[in-house]
Amino acid sequence: MIEVLHKKLDSYFHEMVDIRRFLHQHPELLFEEKETPKLIAEFYRNIGIPVQENVGGNGVVARLKGTKKGKTVALRADFDALPIQDEKDVAYKSKVPGVMHACGHDGHTATLLIVAKVLKQCQDNLAGDYVFIHQHAEEIAPGGALSMIEDGCLDGVDVIFGTHLWATEDTGKILYRSGPIMAAADRFQITIQGQGGHGAHPHTTKDAIMTASQFVVNLQQIVSRKVDPIESAVISVGNFVAENAFNVIADKVKLAGTVRTFNNKIRASIEKEIEKVLKGTCITNDCSYSYEYIHGYPALVNHQEETEFLAALAKDVPGVVEVVESPPQMGGEDFAYYLQHVKGSFFFTGAKPVNANAAFPHHHPKFDIDEKAMVIAAKTLVSAAINYQKAVE
């Protein structure tokens, strides 16, 4: 059965590539996805699988019933793009100015669609039920997972598996990890208010730029001096805005950044420590401030039994040359919400382009993947879905 499904996946590789490249040329930003979910739903209707649209917003869910009793296995893919200009010189370059698939979500979607197609063709021999979750809006909190869960996408589901095509790892590698594998991803927004004035008379001003600069430097002491070095945490300021003429001392600076953690106690502590540093720095420089801390996705915590099950079967998947334990990744993923409701595991599938000149990290304007990795991801997901029925008999 597994061998048959794997061969079918091989035979549909070119269709998988065609779907991925079409989506790559026509990306849609999170919460603005309209044509992509239509394409997904139409694909399911054409292959005869019942499908539900507008799940939790722009999500799509299809359900396939086997002819024998068994568990209900969910597989998930995301399909939103990023506000990045595609700078690749390829035939399938994005046709939407300032928007591109720079994280592999087009590949995730193409992979899951073909997985569903081959499972449908073997429906008469399937045990259990299969739920194909196509999620909108993964890139920025609040994301689409929570609203889809609230709308019933996990109803009746016993286990869920998902993968991320990982362009920084070689094709043929599967990376797994029990417990926390991706970090909680929070953000903060700060305004420092001073009193502007002429650049020639700094003593008559309250310099917001100097205060904000000191704050950014002081911020680095939180992780180095307030967090146990055995634990992991990141605080990064990604936005520092103070637009003025060259001879004007700024009265206001706006900052924004991100916090990444795995431990909820450290997460809460850092939220408070940022404001303590901010308050102290502003008092020293006679400035005021506003501070907003926005909780993003929680840490993605894989279930041990399901992860060990996934890692064991991955070794026998055709095309997989190495199965390794992944170090924790500081990136965030709202797949975390699914795992708070049902058992399951999320893993990485190596997808580094063979051409070293085409190998760029995620969220880069020249990001791309080795499309052969999609077949490996598909075979691993199919193996997990089918073998799980046997594992729980």
Side-chain angles (χ1 to χ4, degrees):
M1 176 70 164
I2 293 291
E3 292 78 9
V4 171
L5 290 166
H6 286 172
K7 288 180 180 179
K8 285 181 176 292
L9 289 169
D10 284 328
S11 70
Y12 287 118
F13 172 65
H14 292 297
E15 182 178 358
M16 197 182 295
V17 170
D18 287 343
I19 295 171
R20 183 256 168 171
R21 293 188 177 188
F22 180 86
L23 293 173
H24 200 83
Q25 292 180 79
H26 303 89
E28 295 181 303
L29 294 173
L30 76 167
F31 297 117
E32 298 178 12
E33 311 97 338
K34 294 181 180 179
E35 298 305 318
T36 304
K38 287 181 183 178
L39 180 150
I40 293 168
E42 186 64 21
F43 184 94
Y44 281 105
R45 282 191 286 267
N46 288 340
I47 63 175
I49 297 180
V51 63
Q52 181 184 359
E53 299 179 74
N54 304 313
V55 180
N58 297 330
V60 181
V61 177
R63 295 177 181 264
L64 177 66
K65 295 186 69 67
T67 56
K68 306 172 186 177
K69 290 184 179 180
K71 295 294 184 180
T72 299
V73 180
L75 304 174
R76 175 269 203 172
D78 40 18
F79 59 78
D80 57 318
L82 284 156
I84 298 173
Q85 179 64 40
D86 194 347
E87 296 180 359
K88 294 189 302 298
D89 185 17
V90 293
Y92 50 89
K93 180 177 180 177
S94 172
K95 295 182 178 180
V96 183
V99 182
M100 73 171 288
H101 277 290
C103 205
H105 296 187
D106 50 345
H108 301 165
T109 302
T111 296
L112 189 55
L113 289 175
I114 298 302
V115 164
K117 184 171 185 174
V118 301
L119 287 175
K120 171 62 178 176
Q121 293 177 357
C122 297
Q123 184 175 9
D124 292 343
N125 297 314
L126 293 180
D129 298 341
Y130 302 84
V131 181
F132 308 103
I133 299 173
H134 291 269
Q135 184 201 309
H136 62 299
E138 184 279 327
E139 289 292 356
I140 301 177
L146 270 180
S147 61
M148 291 190 71
I149 292 168
E150 291 168 356
D151 209 4
C153 75
L154 291 180
D155 288 356
V157 170
D158 296 298
V159 69
I160 186 169
F161 296 102
T163 190
H164 201 305
L165 295 169
W166 215 238
T168 56
E169 296 288 347
D170 292 336
T171 300
K173 182 182 288 188
I174 297 293
L175 299 99
Y176 71 94
R177 185 179 186 83
S178 295
I181 188 172
M182 299 190 79
D186 300 334
R187 59 193 172 98
F188 57 85
Q189 298 174 169
I190 291 168
T191 298
I192 293 177
Q193 184 67 55
Q195 179 178 310
H198 200 293
H201 306 289
H203 59 292
T204 66
T205 71
K206 299 171 184 177
D207 193 334
I209 287 181
M210 182 183 69
T211 304
S213 299
Q214 289 179 355
F215 166 69
V216 172
V217 173
N218 294 342
L219 202 59
Q220 309 313 307
Q221 298 176 26
I222 294 177
V223 173
S224 67
R225 289 296 178 269
K226 296 290 185 177
V227 176
D228 185 336
I230 302 301
E231 298 285 353
S232 297
V234 170
I235 305 176
S236 295
V237 175
N239 196 315
F240 188 119
V241 179
E243 295 187 33
N244 279 293
F246 77 98
N247 60 347
V248 173
I249 290 178
D251 69 339
K252 182 172 20 179
V253 174
K254 292 186 177 182
L255 305 119
T258 187
V259 175
R260 305 297 170 109
T261 55
F262 292 102
N263 184 309
N264 281 333
K265 289 184 179 179
I266 292 175
R267 186 185 194 187
S269 174
I270 287 178
E271 179 179 352
K272 294 178 181 178
E273 289 294 332
I274 289 175
E275 184 164 20
K276 284 171 62 177
V277 171
L278 177 61
K279 183 177 181 179
T281 307
C282 286
I283 288 175
T284 301
N285 292 286
D286 202 18
C287 290
S288 60
Y289 69 88
S290 65
Y291 171 58
E292 182 181 13
Y293 190 96
I294 303 100
H295 288 255
Y297 306 147
L300 194 163
V301 182
N302 279 329
H303 294 255
Q304 182 174 352
E305 184 177 349
E306 286 65 34
T307 302
E308 292 175 352
F309 159 79
L310 185 283
L313 69 84
K315 296 174 183 178
D316 297 323
V317 171
V320 173
V321 297
E322 188 177 13
V323 180
V324 299
E325 186 173 10
S326 172
Q329 304 286 338
M330 299 310 289
E333 241 286 355
D334 69 350
F335 194 90
Y337 291 124
Y338 300 112
L339 295 179
Q340 291 181 340
H341 289 76
V342 298
K343 297 182 293 184
S345 189
F346 188 77
F347 62 98
F348 302 117
T349 302
K352 182 187 291 185
V354 177
N355 180 0
N357 292 328
F360 292 92
H362 295 254
H363 294 207
H364 191 282
K366 293 186 178 181
F367 172 86
D368 209 350
I369 60 170
D370 180 354
E371 292 170 323
K372 293 178 182 178
M374 294 190 294
V375 176
I376 296 173
K379 290 178 178 178
T380 307
L381 289 171
V382 162
S383 292
I386 298 300
N387 285 322
Y388 189 79
Q389 305 294 347
K390 300 175 184 177
V392 296
E393 286 180 352

